Amino acid sequence: QVQLVESGGGLVQPGGSLRLSCATSGFTFNYYAISWFRQAPGKEREGVSCISTSDESTDYAGSAKGRFTISRDKAKNTAYLQMDSLKPEDTAVYFCAARAYSGSDDPADYPYWGRGTQVTVSS
């Protein structure tokens, strides 16, 4: 049974940091690209960052570049999203998703999803 479980969300002030975790099970973690998406109220789900399988190359949305860092721990079957210099516009539910071999910007390309974790950036 495939599972992706996000954690680490919460309420943080502007300029603060959060580290999201995505614990996975039920599939061969090393063969799957892991991406983080987010969805704010009334908006479409958008890609934030992706990390590949073999060379662990990374990709970021323009809004995340320079502030967010994606990583993965193959020993723990877990991916992370370190978010620094958070802004109110980062407020959203953050989801992790898994796709075999390569990532994609299109959420429809991902067969496996977590339930999400709420991130709220507010003073």
Side-chain angles (χ1 to χ4, degrees), residues 31-33 53 98-103 109-112:
Y31 293 162
Y32 280 73
T53 54
R99 180 175 187 260
Y101 301 112
S102 63
D109 290 338
Y110 288 79
Y112 303 137

Side-chain angles (χ1 to χ4, degrees), residues 110-122:
Y110 288 79
Y112 303 137
W113 287 86
R115 293 187 176 184
T117 185
Q118 176 70 47
V119 171
T120 304
V121 185
S122 175

Side-chain angles (χ1 to χ4, degrees), residues 1-121:
Q1 180 182 357
V2 173
Q3 285 192 320
L4 291 84
V5 180
E6 302 94 337
S7 62
L11 174 64
V12 63
Q13 292 186 342
S17 297
L18 285 173
R19 188 194 194 205
L20 306 183
S21 298
C22 174
T24 75
S25 61
F27 62 97
T28 307
F29 183 74
N30 291 359
Y31 293 162
Y32 280 73
I34 302 295
S35 290
W36 287 93
F37 291 82
R38 67 186 182 186
Q39 189 165 18
K43 295 188 176 181
E44 292 187 352
R45 192 167 297 190
E46 64 174 358
V48 175
S49 184
C50 180
I51 186 166
S52 68
T53 54
S54 56
D55 61 359
E56 298 190 357
S57 60
T58 58
D59 193 24
Y60 297 91
S63 60
K65 281 182 181 178
R67 299 188 300 126
F68 295 1
T69 303
I70 191 171
S71 61
R72 63 193 296 163
D73 185 333
K74 294 181 178 179
K76 296 182 179 180
N77 291 345
T78 300
Y80 304 95
L81 186 68
Q82 176 68 40
M83 304 188 296
D84 300 316
S85 302
L86 282 161
K87 305 175 182 180
E89 50 264 43
D90 294 318
T91 296
V93 177
Y94 283 71
F95 301 88
C96 63
R99 180 175 187 260
Y101 301 112
S102 63
S104 168
D105 293 335
D106 187 350
D109 290 338
Y110 288 79
Y112 303 137
W113 287 86
R115 293 187 176 184
T117 185
Q118 176 70 47
V119 171
T120 304
V121 185

